[in-house]
Amino acid sequence: MKRHFRVWRGDASGGELRDFDVEVNEGEVVLDIIHRLQATQAPDLACRWNCKAGKCGSCSMEINGMPRLGCMTRMSTFTEDETITVTPIRTFPVIRDLVTDVSFNYEKARETPAFAPPPGVAPGDYRMRQVDVERSQEFRKCIECFLCQNTCHVIRDHDENKPAFSGPRFFIRAAELDMHPLDDRADRKEYAQASQGLGYCNITKCCTEVCPEHIKITDNAIIPMKERVVDRRYDPLVWLGRKIFRRDELESASAKPSSAHPSAPHPPTANPSAANPPTVNPPMSSARLPQTAPVGPDGHMDIAELVAPQQGGLSPFGEDIEFPLPPEQISYHHPDPDKSPDH
Amino acid sequence: MSTAIERHRYDVVVIGAGGAGLRAAIEARLAGKRTAIISKSLFGKAHTVMAEGGAAAAMGNVNSNDNWMVHFRDTMRGGKFLNNFRMAELHAKEAPERIWELETYGALFDRTKDGKISQRNFGGHEYPRLAHVGDRTGLELIRTLQQKIVSLQQEDFAETGSYDSRIRVFQETTITELMLDGDRVAGAFGYYRESGEFLLFEAPAVVLATGGVGRSYKVTSNSWEYTGDGHALALRSGATLINMEFLQFHPTGMVWPPSVKGILVTESVRGDGGVLRNSEGKRFMFDYVPDVFRKQYAETEEEGDRWYDDPDNNRRPPELLPRDEVARAINSEVKAGRGSPAGGVFLDVSTRLPAEQIIKRLPSMHHQFKELADVDITKEPMEVGPTCHYVMGGVEVDPDTGAAFGTVQGLFAAGEVSGGMHGSNRLGGNSLSDLLVFGKRAGEHAAAYVDTLGVRPKPAKIDVAAAAEVALAPLARAGGENPYTLQQDLQAVMGDLVGIIRRAGELTDALKRLQELKARVANVSADGGRLYNPGWHLALDLRNMLVVSECTAKAALEREESRGGHTREDFPKMSPEWRRVNLVCSLDEAGEVHLERKPVPRMRAELIDLFDRSELAKYMTDEELAEVEAE
Ligand SMILES: Cc1cc2nc3c(=O)[nH]c(=O)nc-3n(C[C@H](O)[C@H](O)[C@H](O)COP(=O)(O)OP(=O)(O)OC[C@H]3O[C@@H](n4cnc5c(N)ncnc54)[C@H](O)[C@@H]3O)c2cc1C
Ligand code: SF4
Ligand code: SF4
Ligand code: FES
């Protein structure tokens, strides 16, 4: 069956939406159609992809105005007479067709301080509990599709904010290291605030909305990072408490602050096995105690998001807009590098 | 059209930014060498990102009976004793260190109760051995290495004020030719995919880490990157390829919907309890346990099921046989008319584990089937069938250093592009650990090789000009053939005639057709300019796919036996005589593929002692056995 597609074609000097009528078979995804266009009508149509299974984060594009992975957008989600409009992700400069220059993200990655291994713990001696690593593991699911970066209004159409703002992808990186049980740096939150531009974020949750890995970027990374930065800044006592206690323990500790004792809060962990006599058994966790994650009674993080009808927060485009938009309402404007946005 | 060529000087150039390439680059940089990393796709998106199941290393965290000797044994058995024993030995011994090292780079593997790295069961591994992170282990591995490289760049920045001063990543850059100075590597020539501009790396040492060749097959789990570039670059620079007939067809690829045909369903589905059934609902794998494995596998469903909870007192279910066995079994069931509607068989976890367990243990499979096939694997079975997955053959290398054999010096290879380690069949999880072990070794020895050189080899001007001309040819040619059509035709030849089950007549036919395709590929043309032009890129990749396919077809015709990833219908048995033979391909001056037989290196006595005599008897000739007895 033939379907109508409009695909943005052009390069840094400009371009336009081109119309294509193309065969679509049962079970196909938008990326398949792009491939069919390459094979039959437009061999030089530029588009990134690798895995075709939502694992590599290469095929980010905007489909009927919605930032998505081309390989994970099934054709069956559109009605049969619907025109499908495919444009490049908008926050980054176009190179050609659907391919954009995402080097911004790699620069920000380079500026984010790396994992600091705990001194004195030999390779092979790292011991961590599953519940402690799960918080960071959520953020390590990131496939670097940069859809969250593309969606965040702080830099979408606002190139002027790019130098100061690292974006949600790198907030979760900072949060991941902050929650890493053995990371030796204690200033991840302060760094996010001072150098990554965390303050620009006003928690609109757009990033969470588009994340194909369903990472709760705002709830699990940004908000906790902000909270604690605020706490630390304005309340030195709480700051001290945070250093010493896990958050759940803090609640009870603040009721009787006299019990604050730096060596007490370490929770007893699994018994050292015979193979690891206590003398050589390194700490299960670093001296710097992790804050709690939303861990359920079974000791695991909840997966409600996977089954919820809608993950994360509200739609970045407003709750009253329905996707897909009618094609005549879509106008992709390539940002003009010479003109600063007029809003 | 401009033919300006950007020039760079490095000590070590690593082609490939997957696990092997990144690990090699880290090592070369740690040895103080200026290092470049080159990758066809964006940094962090190489094929390694797709690996799901885990990385095999005998850490003994889950079952303390595990050690390098058991791992070595499993690897040799899996490869049907054709493996380069020294590589298998180094791999088994060094894999745990390499995994632990990743933790110091920031990796977060799933944990055991006592806080160590958790390990899971996988086909062919005697004990739970695969370090894993849910079913996204490859992502963790590549991200960790990527972040380690960033951290090295940060150190360099602190010292020199430039992130790129000692290690630089050239992403979306394709190498099309290696430059030689006599027999020595002098550099590499390629183009930026984004702009189409050329660049030349002058470097005395090159590490190939370009991955595999699966794109020559229609049904494959591999991405567009897997066009055998590294294999072809090696051949053209005088190195040799071994055992190219051995391709692994992963037993469980998706078969429906058609557009995702081939995409992998991780083996952990079976490791965690999933079972295979035919259209009659029968667990058919019990009928396909070959004699060599009879002793290790359960005979009844009850015993197989008990094994998941009590592996010490029960034998494992036959769903966990090595991949080649499972792939052939599925193939036979489908041929016998007991397949699923879409031409596969059923893989079911929904009746074996509670839904929340499935979502916890196999989150990305749950996600993948939901999103791509609209199947809820907690409620229904999946439909699966074999898909081209991995090439065991590759660049023939020195086991200790990764230096390529043949006439060339200064060329190293690691990862999937290298051959020998996995013999005729790779065990699941042995690739990720292979990348780390031999990536490190290749980086280290490439750096050491640079130190031995007095003068730096120089690329010849005329070679550079020739490489540029070859690269521009498809754009200059008008009215030639469409590269996409050629690729489809090549995939059809390889899939139909050099697939899972092979026959002499079809292989001869394939070779003839490959010759015809060669002539057509020489006449390929690409529309559009040099700016990010996928048609042009494919046109350039085609000649690599073609020469590598020819090696595979030639070797497959030559090897008259069935072993691991090579099944000949006309020679269905494994032959002890053939076990002693490696098939080695090289290119002559005219660009023709030559095939040569070389003896498989003989295992050292103390390693032979790790096996039962009765087991060796299944693989070795009487003569060899007599020699073993004499020692
Ligand atoms: C779906 C899937 C699941 C898998 N699961 C597992 C598993 O669970 N456990 C396991 O051990 N193994 C697994 N494997 C196998 C394993 O992932 C691969 O064998 C391994 O990642 C290969 O790594 P590599 O470093 O050799 O190459 P890759 O990671 O493939 O990297 C190749 C690199 O070379 C670059 N390159 C190629 N050609 C050129 C060129 N001409 N110029 C410049 N750069 C070039 C590419 O851009 C890329 O960066 C799986 C494979 C697949 C496809
Ligand atoms: S919550 Fe909104 S403002 Fe904050 S990072 Fe996400 S998209 Fe940007
Ligand atoms: S956080 Fe989510 S949306 Fe952002 S880059 Fe990672 S996977 Fe993509
Ligand atoms: S192609 Fe990898 S995420 Fe779409």
Side-chain angles (χ1 to χ4, degrees):
Chain A
M1 205 195 112
K2 291 248 181 199
R3 298 283 290 270
H4 192 65
F5 264 73
R6 298 211 298 163
V7 181
W8 194 85
R9 298 217 59 189
D11 54 33
S13 62
E16 61 189 4
L17 286 168
R18 295 270 182 80
D19 289 89
F20 296 97
D21 285 308
V22 54
E23 195 65 33
V24 172
N25 304 319
E26 202 194 342
E28 286 184 327
V29 294
V30 169
L31 185 64
D32 291 316
I33 313 306
I34 301 290
H35 283 159
R36 181 152 312 124
L37 286 174
Q38 287 179 336
T40 57
Q41 306 180 35
D44 59 340
L45 172 62
C47 170
R48 286 195 181 106
W49 70 283
N50 267 17
C51 66
K52 274 203 69 187
K55 293 198 162 87
C56 70
S58 303
C59 61
S60 304
M61 49 183 82
E62 298 192 3
I63 300 168
N64 286 354
M66 185 70 183
R68 309 208 52 160
L69 295 178
C71 70
M72 298 302 274
T73 306
R74 286 214 311 273
M75 288 301 298
S76 59
T77 56
F78 307 103
T79 59
E80 286 191 0
D81 51 357
E82 206 174 326
T83 296
I84 293 138
T85 305
V86 185
T87 52
I89 51 174
R90 170 154 125 196
T91 301
F92 307 111
V94 165
I95 292 171
R96 179 159 186 212
D97 304 339
L98 303 176
V99 173
T100 56
D101 176 0
V102 291
S103 53
F104 166 81
N105 301 292
Y106 290 94
E107 280 156 26
K108 295 296 174 185
R110 257 197 334 204
E111 290 162 10
T112 309
F115 172 69
V121 185
D125 285 349
Y126 282 45
R127 295 289 178 276
M128 296 174 254
R129 294 184 308 177
Q130 182 63 27
V131 282
D132 290 334
V133 299
E134 260 170 30
R135 282 164 295 180
S136 295
Q137 280 181 336
E138 176 187 12
F139 306 128
R140 290 186 72 83
K141 287 194 307 196
C142 170
I143 57 173
E144 302 208 323
C145 64
F146 308 130
L147 287 175
C148 56
Q149 305 282 86
N150 172 55
T151 307
C152 178
H153 68 97
V154 176
I155 46 175
R156 192 172 172 99
D157 298 329
H158 288 280
D159 277 345
E160 72 279 11
N161 289 337
K162 281 184 178 169
F165 187 73
S166 297
R169 160 63 186 117
F170 300 101
F171 299 152
I172 65 167
R173 170 71 172 144
E176 168 215 319
L177 290 169
D178 185 56
M179 298 175 190
H180 190 301
L182 293 178
D183 177 51
D184 199 46
R185 272 182 82 138
D187 64 342
R188 302 279 176 194
K189 301 176 194 82
E190 288 75 6
Y191 179 85
Q193 187 76 336
S195 310
Q196 292 191 301
L198 185 65
Y200 283 74
C201 162
N202 53 353
I203 321 192
T204 58
K205 299 199 181 184
C206 315
C207 46
T208 304
E209 177 85 0
V210 296
C211 176
E213 284 294 310
H214 306 307
I215 299 169
K216 288 188 190 163
I217 303 172
T218 14
D219 288 1
N220 290 352
I222 295 177
I223 294 175
M225 296 279 281
K226 277 184 176 259
E227 258 179 11
R228 284 183 233 128
V229 169
V230 171
D231 289 344
R232 286 190 196 180
R233 285 224 169 141
Y234 301 112
D235 189 343
L237 246 179
V238 177
W239 178 82
L240 189 69
R242 293 267 190 259
K243 276 296 207 201
I244 301 170
F245 290 104
R246 299 156 63 97
R247 200 186 323 159
D248 49 352
E249 288 153 351
L250 189 69
E251 255 87 76
S252 51
S254 58
K256 38 181 172 57
S258 58
S259 74
H261 188 277
S263 66
H266 219 53
T269 45
N271 61 319
S273 67
N276 286 291
T279 42
V280 298
N281 203 15
M284 288 290 281
S285 240
S286 67
R288 190 175 63 86
L289 287 158
Q291 272 87 13
T292 47
V295 174
D298 61 347
H300 294 294
M301 301 234 291
D302 76 86
I303 42 143
E305 198 167 56
L306 285 170
V307 290
Q310 164 191 330
Q311 346 81 27
L314 304 174
S315 159
F317 306 95
E319 290 302 294
D320 51 350
I321 292 197
E322 263 201 44
F323 289 100
L325 295 172
E328 60 279 3
Q329 278 186 23
I330 295 171
S331 58
Y332 171 78
H333 292 297
H334 181 62
D336 187 339
D338 300 331
K339 264 191 283 167
S340 61
D342 50 8
H343 46 86
Chain B
M1 235 178 261
S2 111
T3 42
I5 297 172
E6 198 179 295
R7 283 173 178 259
H8 296 274
R9 271 179 82 108
Y10 283 92
D11 297 325
V12 177
V13 165
V14 179
I15 308 178
L22 297 183
R23 190 61 190 83
I26 290 170
E27 206 59 24
R29 152 66 180 74
L30 289 175
K33 296 289 169 273
R34 287 198 70 223
T35 306
I37 302 170
I38 307 169
S39 157
K40 289 212 275 192
S41 47
L42 290 172
F43 190 29
K45 309 219 178 286
H47 226 80
T48 301
V49 88
M50 284 175 238
E52 294 159 352
M59 297 182 284
N61 290 351
V62 171
N63 190 323
S64 55
N65 292 330
D66 202 12
N67 57 42
W68 76 264
M69 290 169 282
V70 188
H71 191 181
F72 171 77
R73 249 186 344 233
D74 288 346
T75 303
M76 294 300 293
R77 279 179 192 143
K80 306 269 162 47
F81 278 72
L82 198 76
N83 317 51
N84 180 306
F85 76 87
R86 175 69 180 156
M87 289 177 92
E89 177 195 1
L90 288 169
H91 170 257
K93 282 183 174 161
E94 293 176 5
E97 282 165 52
R98 296 287 84 77
I99 297 289
W100 287 325
E101 196 169 65
L102 289 182
E103 289 200 303
T104 70
Y105 301 170
L108 284 174
F109 292 101
D110 287 346
R111 317 306 296 183
T112 60
K113 283 217 171 56
D114 53 356
K116 299 180 189 170
I117 296 175
S118 170
Q119 299 185 270
R120 70 154 51 115
N121 284 307
F122 234 57
H125 292 282
E126 187 165 341
Y127 297 115
R129 188 176 287 146
L130 270 68
H132 59 94
V133 186
D135 48 10
R136 54 162 190 87
T137 314
L139 172 65
E140 185 69 14
L141 192 115
I142 200 166
R143 199 66 82 232
T144 301
L145 293 171
Q146 182 184 350
Q147 286 164 350
K148 174 66 180 178
I149 284 176
V150 163
S151 98
L152 291 171
Q153 289 180 322
Q154 287 172 351
E155 282 174 25
D156 296 341
F157 180 79
E159 212 173 296
T160 67
S162 160
Y163 287 111
D164 291 330
S165 53
R166 296 209 183 94
I167 187 164
R168 177 163 169 197
V169 182
F170 293 81
Q171 56 182 2
E172 300 207 300
T173 301
T174 305
I175 296 299
T176 59
E177 216 73 73
L178 295 182
M179 298 289 127
L180 297 182
D181 182 346
D183 284 339
R184 291 209 234 129
V185 164
F189 176 91
Y191 60 90
Y192 286 115
R193 287 161 52 81
E194 285 185 4
S195 62
E197 298 293 331
F198 292 137
L199 30 41
L200 174 69
F201 295 91
E202 292 181 28
V206 167
V207 178
L208 293 173
T210 53
V213 306
R215 216 50 209 165
S216 306
Y217 285 79
K218 205 171 357 185
V219 181
T220 176
S221 62
N222 295 173
S223 84
W224 63 270
E225 291 196 293
Y226 266 24
T227 50
D229 293 5
H231 295 81
L233 290 171
L235 275 179
R236 288 204 291 269
S237 60
T240 48
L241 304 184
I242 65 166
N243 295 342
M244 289 303 291
E245 65 276 31
F246 295 111
L247 281 166
Q248 182 170 76
F249 288 83
H250 195 288
T252 59
M254 292 175 80
V255 294
W256 198 92
S259 64
V260 296
K261 202 165 175 160
I263 287 183
L264 203 69
V265 180
T266 174
E267 196 163 320
S268 345
V269 175
R270 282 170 286 138
D272 284 345
V275 294
L276 290 164
R277 293 206 175 90
N278 61 21
S279 59
E280 295 161 3
K282 178 167 184 212
R283 270 178 81 175
F284 57 83
M285 280 311 299
F286 286 95
D287 301 341
Y288 291 92
V289 183
D291 288 341
V292 283
F293 288 114
R294 189 82 65 199
K295 259 174 42 193
Q296 287 99 0
Y297 287 83
E299 275 157 49
T300 63
E301 295 193 18
E302 293 69 37
E303 181 179 5
D305 287 348
R306 281 198 304 271
W307 174 86
Y308 290 103
D309 295 321
D310 181 11
D312 288 338
N313 298 311
N314 293 285
R315 289 171 299 173
R316 52 184 41 222
E319 273 88 2
L320 293 178
L321 276 164
R323 291 178 175 171
D324 51 333
E325 309 289 352
V326 184
R328 270 197 299 271
I330 295 179
N331 205 52
S332 311
E333 284 296 305
V334 174
K335 274 206 172 150
R338 293 188 292 269
S340 71
V345 294
F346 296 104
L347 170 60
D348 186 24
V349 274
S350 64
T351 58
R352 313 267 308 167
L353 287 177
E356 66 273 18
Q357 280 287 325
I358 297 177
I359 294 171
K360 164 79 185 106
R361 293 207 209 167
L362 304 163
S364 65
M365 281 302 108
H366 181 250
H367 188 74
Q368 178 176 321
F369 270 85
K370 194 109 202 137
E371 303 267 331
L372 293 174
D374 206 11
V375 164
D376 182 350
I377 65 167
T378 65
K379 299 208 176 72
E380 339 161 40
M382 304 161 240
E383 278 186 66
V384 297
T387 175
C388 178
H389 185 54
Y390 186 90
V391 57
M392 270 71 70
V395 180
E396 189 182 16
V397 291
D398 177 86
D400 287 82
T401 65
F405 281 12
T407 53
V408 61
Q409 284 168 51
L411 186 65
F412 298 79
E416 190 168 342
V417 70
S418 68
M421 153 77 204
H422 303 287
S424 68
N425 178 44
R426 171 179 73 92
L427 292 185
N430 266 2
S431 171
L432 290 185
S433 39
D434 161 15
L435 306 181
L436 298 171
V437 169
F438 294 103
K440 172 178 186 289
R441 285 184 163 266
E444 182 181 320
H445 288 279
Y449 166 81
V450 173
D451 290 334
T452 65
L453 288 175
V455 278
R456 283 172 77 103
K458 271 199 79 63
K461 274 206 183 97
I462 173 164
D463 292 342
V464 178
E469 199 181 308
V470 170
L472 288 174
L475 288 173
R477 208 175 283 129
E481 279 214 63
N482 178 333
Y484 296 94
T485 315
L486 282 167
Q487 185 189 25
Q488 274 169 16
D489 291 354
L490 173 64
Q491 289 174 338
V493 171
M494 294 306 285
D496 297 343
L497 306 177
V498 199
I500 305 188
I501 312 286
R502 299 160 177 179
R503 300 163 192 90
E506 291 183 353
L507 291 167
T508 318
D509 192 23
L511 282 166
K512 204 175 96 232
R513 287 176 196 228
L514 288 174
Q515 288 305 326
E516 290 162 17
L517 274 170
K518 220 186 221 174
R520 290 170 60 196
V521 165
N523 188 35
V524 63
S525 75
D527 288 341
R530 286 167 69 174
L531 210 61
Y532 214 109
N533 182 345
W536 177 40
H537 303 160
L538 177 59
L540 294 178
D541 292 344
L542 277 172
R543 68 173 179 145
N544 297 338
M545 294 166 79
L546 206 59
V547 69
V548 175
S549 298
E550 192 179 338
C551 292
T552 298
K554 269 211 160 128
L557 181 59
E558 179 87 0
R559 184 174 287 276
E560 299 186 325
E561 65 157 349
S562 294
R563 174 187 301 275
H566 171 67
T567 306
R568 283 282 296 266
E569 199 180 61
D570 39 359
F571 298 93
K573 287 238 156 59
M574 202 152 73
S575 136
E577 288 298 335
W578 270 107
R579 195 205 64 83
R580 311 173 70 178
V581 180
N582 278 330
L583 293 176
V584 179
C585 291
S586 56
L587 272 194
D588 66 13
E589 301 273 295
E592 294 299 320
V593 175
H594 281 264
L595 194 69
E596 200 187 339
R597 295 186 186 191
K598 277 200 199 164
V600 171
R602 217 167 119 215
M603 219 188 291
R604 294 200 314 275
E606 81 262 27
L607 295 176
I608 290 195
D609 286 343
L610 295 172
F611 298 93
D612 268 3
R613 289 291 177 269
S614 63
E615 178 166 18
L616 292 177
K618 293 173 193 161
Y619 297 100
M620 294 187 167
T621 60
D622 295 342
E623 182 194 344
E624 281 176 294
L625 283 171
E627 282 171 31
V628 168
E629 296 298 343
E631 265 163 17

